[in-house]
Amino acid sequence: MSSNQTDVVFFDENGLRTDQRKPDEIRPMKIKIGVLSRANGSCYLEWGGNKVIAAVYGPREAHPRRMQLAGKAVIRYRYNMQSFSVEDRARPGPSRRSSEISKVSREAFEPVLFAEDYPKAAIDIFVEVLQADAGTRTAAINAASLALVDAGIPMRGLVSACAAGKVGGKIVLDLNKPEDNYGEADLPIAMTEDGKITLIQMDGHLTPSEFEEAMALVQQGCRQVLEIQKAALLEKFASVMDDEEDEV
Ligand code: CDP
């Protein structure tokens, strides 16, 4: 986020963005559920230029034992960026940024998981960013949500994530890399199916009315993502559902 780049052109004469999107349009998303045979659940997701893979394990006995909680499962979320995922090499291992993203992403899932049903267990969510192009934390959450379903872990509903932001004085949905780099604000959120916000972060500056506008837009974005997630689940599990219906 840099406010000194006023010379960057974000919109063409038709009001379209550098990647030809309308201000309220998200980047194309591709999803494949169940891509890893060793994980209990997994999902590969592309969103614009982002490529992420999520793997879920559990509920399983939490190790090391000192991490066990007597009355509920411990939920662990690890967001990791591969060194080759960015333009400049990302330094391997945890960073302040990845620790922060892991923490807020874990908290984004806590309200939808039934941790109290699994004392002493762990639910482990790992997300690897293979290619980063702005919006990796939201892409990671969207993939993790589907990997949790693939793992058969009961949930109150899906979690969907998206960002809105301000570029060239306008509020837009799902910032791409130049918009993220040179825009004025970035507002990623995660939301449950029933509209509860489980993650909200903000980088940059928005006036109260711009914030309202961005919040309305980003919630619309999450609903668009939710529809794509549901379609991917249907594609993956429709045949299973058909088989079950045949058995009745
Ligand atoms: O990826 P996200 O938008 O959730 O997080 P960010 O911290 O706002 O980063 C925005 C983008 O900057 C990332 O998606 C990467 O494309 C890039 N980035 C990078 O090139 N090197 C890093 N160490 C971190 C981020």
Side-chain angles (χ1 to χ4, degrees):
M1 223 37 53
S2 156
S3 46
N4 325 326
Q5 303 280 342
T6 42
D7 50 341
V8 178
V9 178
F10 291 109
F11 300 98
D12 69 10
E13 63 282 8
N14 302 315
L16 295 179
R17 296 152 72 179
T18 50
D19 52 13
Q20 299 300 301
R21 277 185 294 152
K22 296 189 203 107
D24 61 351
E25 205 177 327
I26 63 171
R27 289 172 286 182
M29 192 181 281
K30 275 204 266 174
I31 294 173
K32 194 155 176 17
I33 298 170
V35 288
L36 301 172
S37 58
R38 301 204 203 297
N40 296 123
S42 58
C43 176
Y44 171 73
L45 185 144
E46 291 183 7
W47 194 0
N50 294 300
K51 297 183 179 183
V52 303
I53 191 156
V56 165
Y57 295 82
R60 59 182 178 181
E61 192 179 353
H63 285 288
R65 281 221 170 144
R66 63 185 154 76
M67 298 228 31
Q68 291 183 356
L69 302 174
K72 60 177 186 173
V74 57
I75 297 159
R76 297 183 289 210
Y77 188 110
R78 195 189 72 183
Y79 163 101
N80 184 51
M81 211 170 215
Q82 286 296 328
S83 53
F84 54 79
S85 67
V86 291
E87 242 168 275
D88 303 323
R89 174 177 180 273
R91 201 181 158 159
S95 62
R96 258 178 65 170
R97 177 179 173 276
S98 68
S99 305
E100 173 201 306
I101 294 176
S102 298
K103 177 185 183 287
V104 295
S105 305
R106 169 173 52 75
E107 290 168 355
F109 283 99
E110 276 174 350
V112 299
L113 293 168
F114 295 87
E116 57 287 355
D117 288 353
Y118 310 102
K120 299 188 178 176
I123 296 173
D124 286 309
I125 306 163
F126 299 93
V127 189
E128 292 294 329
V129 177
L130 307 177
Q131 187 171 292
D133 201 34
T136 56
R137 76 194 66 202
T138 47
I141 288 171
N142 294 328
S145 192
L146 294 169
L148 281 160
V149 177
D150 188 40
I153 296 179
M155 287 158 82
R156 293 181 175 90
L158 291 169
V159 175
S160 310
C162 191
K166 183 180 168 191
V167 297
K170 273 198 190 154
I171 302 298
V172 299
L173 196 57
D174 182 26
L175 305 188
N176 62 28
K177 191 72 168 69
E179 291 171 341
D180 186 283
N181 280 5
Y182 307 120
E184 295 117 87
D186 182 16
L187 175 72
I189 75 156
M191 197 171 93
T192 62
E193 281 187 49
D194 53 1
K196 292 198 186 76
I197 310 279
T198 61
L199 174 151
I200 181 162
Q201 297 191 287
M202 192 166 110
D203 188 14
H205 299 280
L206 293 174
T207 64
S209 70
E210 285 168 347
F211 178 76
E212 300 272 316
E213 189 186 337
M215 277 305 287
L217 190 62
V218 75
Q219 289 176 67
Q220 242 187 61
C222 284
R223 291 208 177 84
Q224 288 182 46
V225 170
L226 175 63
E227 290 313 310
I228 298 169
Q229 288 172 306
K230 283 184 174 168
L233 283 170
L234 208 58
E235 191 190 332
K236 166 82 181 165
F237 294 111
S239 58
V240 179
M241 282 155 57
D242 287 348
D243 290 349
E244 278 176 3
E245 269 167 27
D246 291 346
E247 280 166 22
V248 177

